[in-house]
Amino acid sequence: MAVREAEPVGSLQEVKEVGLDREDLLAIYRHMLLTRGIEERGHILYKQGKIPGSFYTGRGNEGAAVGVGTAMGPNDVGTPLHRDMGVHVTRGVEPWRVFAQYMGREGGPTGGRDGNVHMANAELGLHTMVSHLPAMLPVATGMALAFKIRGDRRVAVGWFGEGSAARGDAHESMNMAGVRQLPVVFVCDNNQWAYSTPTYLSYSVEHIADRAAAYGFEGVVVDGTDVLAVYREARRAIEKAREGGGPTLLECLTLRMEGHAVHDDAFYVPKEMFEQWAAQDPVERYRTWLHNHAGMTDDEESEITSAVKRILIEALDRADESPLPDPSSLAGGVFASFEDLDTPHHK
Ligand SMILES: Cc1ncc(C[n+]2csc(CCOP(=O)(O)OP(=O)(O)O)c2C)c(N)n1
Ligand SMILES: [Mg+2]
């Protein structure tokens, strides 16, 4: 079974056929701008010395993250990683909480206990990543196994990078998901670099999605800079899983447009590569599409842009007002009680 390479999305009609109306289209744009805005401001906070550690950005991955996040159903679950701020934003995480998290403040989702993008809101169906990669794939697979055993019509989405695809837990998860035909979608953010390691040193097949055939399910490669194509493919894979059709491996091809994190200037990435991929910047590409195909007016655009700016300014202030955690609360939240787990996503 050869991997399928997804076509780009062209017309408004095609988009309507996959279930998005004009309001959805504008919401996608807002989510992409918010994602980029959070990451650009995070970079500034880092330079101001307000962030301990580093700041991870997914510049270039906004379309891939928002596309998949938009395709998930309200009761679906996911394990987004450090390039997937767009997933948190799409599912409704408030930007001020992201800044508070990075600044180590009480208002962050981990209450200042963990740093950077090691955060998620379980009530929104997102489960916090641990640093070890791709250790969340077995978690996503396990959630899908639970859904199947209980007969829930829910789907788990697990993210991984092309570099971490080389590790055993990626293989074990996909093998088990294939054997048990679990309702899980594996999303590979293939941004062509794993820190300084290029793809030719990470895998020897043409596409990571080629591997899906060996696990007995479908592999699809999609241009990760085309948010609508990502949405269409993710939606198809998620609904197929929901209907009992088993897993899909969806590979979103992008370029990591910045360093591994903001402390890394990516000197090892050829300049021409950045120039080539900058020409298909996902946010700009979608903005142009909205003007050309969905009749987005300049007024609508500036309304969205200023609303996003306002949200970000308020978010920075609110995060800055959030105190550092009280050291006496250190051991709190380590063990979950039954009440803590009383969310729609733990039932
Ligand atoms: C098991 C493990 N080894 C090493 C690391 C350190 N590390 C963090 S991100 C990263 C690169 C991962 O590359 P890739 O999977 O392509 O994801 P990307 O960062 O490019 O999104 C490495 C080596 C880790 N987090 N986990
Ligand atoms: Mg990578």
Side-chain angles (χ1 to χ4, degrees), residues 82-83 131-133 161-164 167 191 193-195 260:
H82 49 305
R83 309 295 174 206
S131 184
H132 314 73
L133 297 169
E162 86 294 339
S164 59
R167 285 184 45 95
N191 57 15
W193 294 87
Y195 216 121
H260 177 69

Side-chain angles (χ1 to χ4, degrees), residues 333-345:
V334 175
F335 294 104
S337 66
F338 283 113
E339 291 76 41
D340 293 333
L341 296 178
D342 190 20
T343 76
H345 298 286

Side-chain angles (χ1 to χ4, degrees), residues 4-343:
R4 181 164 64 80
E5 294 193 43
E7 294 289 320
V9 164
S11 67
L12 186 59
Q13 187 51 34
E14 258 180 84
V15 169
K16 283 188 174 149
E17 279 162 19
V18 293
L20 294 173
D21 62 24
R22 198 162 180 283
E23 211 171 294
D24 298 326
L25 293 172
L26 295 179
I28 288 175
Y29 186 53
R30 198 165 59 81
H31 291 147
M32 287 174 80
L33 284 185
L34 263 178
T35 303
R36 176 156 295 179
I38 288 173
E39 295 189 336
E40 284 180 348
R41 279 155 187 82
H43 202 149
I44 296 169
L45 285 179
Y46 171 79
K47 285 189 173 157
Q48 290 173 332
K50 289 191 174 174
I51 287 181
S54 195
F55 192 91
Y56 291 77
T57 75
R59 196 180 183 91
N61 203 53
E62 296 91 343
V66 172
V68 178
T70 307
M72 290 169 69
N75 293 324
D76 294 340
V77 295
T79 57
L81 299 182
H82 49 305
R83 309 295 174 206
D84 305 310
M85 181 66 69
V87 176
H88 297 276
V89 168
T90 302
R91 288 192 74 90
V93 170
E94 297 167 282
W96 79 272
R97 291 203 178 273
V98 178
F99 294 131
Q101 164 78 5
Y102 265 99
M103 290 158 81
R105 306 299 177 85
E106 209 172 71
T110 63
R113 286 175 181 72
D114 202 342
N116 64 61
V117 80
H118 299 154
M119 56 158 194
N121 186 338
E123 287 173 17
L124 301 173
L126 300 178
H127 293 279
T128 304
M129 66 174 282
V130 292
S131 184
H132 314 73
L133 297 169
M136 296 310 284
L137 289 188
V139 177
T141 305
M143 291 192 283
L145 177 62
F147 298 155
K148 177 145 185 169
I149 290 170
R150 293 173 182 164
D152 283 355
R153 284 174 52 79
R154 293 166 68 188
V155 177
V157 181
W159 277 265
F160 65 113
E162 86 294 339
S164 59
R167 285 184 45 95
D169 27 9
H171 163 72
E172 290 168 32
S173 304
M174 292 192 208
N175 186 57
M176 181 168 176
V179 168
R180 301 286 297 257
Q181 286 292 292
L182 300 180
V184 55
V185 177
F186 298 101
V187 179
C188 179
D189 287 328
N190 185 346
N191 57 15
Q192 305 187 61
W193 294 87
Y195 216 121
S196 56
T197 305
T199 49
Y200 71 89
L201 292 176
S202 278
Y203 55 92
S204 62
V205 278
E206 191 183 353
H207 303 289
I208 290 283
D210 287 335
R211 293 185 184 165
Y215 300 118
F217 51 83
E218 193 188 359
V220 181
V221 184
V222 63
D223 178 347
T225 70
D226 182 346
V227 63
L228 296 176
V230 172
Y231 168 81
R232 181 191 61 206
E233 298 305 324
R235 179 77 191 259
R236 185 180 286 164
I238 288 170
E239 294 315 318
K240 177 180 172 182
R242 200 185 310 287
E243 297 306 323
T248 301
L249 169 46
L250 180 62
E251 176 178 355
C252 300
L253 195 59
T254 61
L255 179 66
R256 194 191 70 204
M257 293 303 287
E258 293 179 321
H260 177 69
V262 297
H263 60 266
D264 166 30
D265 69 3
F267 68 91
Y268 46 83
V269 178
K271 210 166 125 266
E272 304 72 50
M273 210 172 177
F274 279 132
E275 286 167 0
Q276 183 202 334
W277 284 80
Q280 59 186 88
D281 174 83
V283 179
E284 185 53 30
R285 187 174 172 180
Y286 187 49
R287 190 181 80 85
T288 309
W289 188 92
L290 284 171
H291 278 293
N292 294 343
H293 295 274
M296 179 169 73
T297 63
D298 291 343
D299 279 352
E300 276 176 323
E301 185 185 346
S302 59
E303 209 174 288
I304 295 172
T305 316
S306 21
V308 166
K309 270 195 194 140
R310 228 176 14 251
I311 291 171
L312 291 171
I313 290 168
E314 284 167 17
L316 283 168
D317 285 346
R318 189 159 175 199
D320 212 14
E321 282 161 15
S322 177
L324 286 166
D326 182 339
S328 69
S329 71
L330 185 68
V334 175
F335 294 104
S337 66
F338 283 113
E339 291 76 41
D340 293 333
L341 296 178
D342 190 20
T343 76

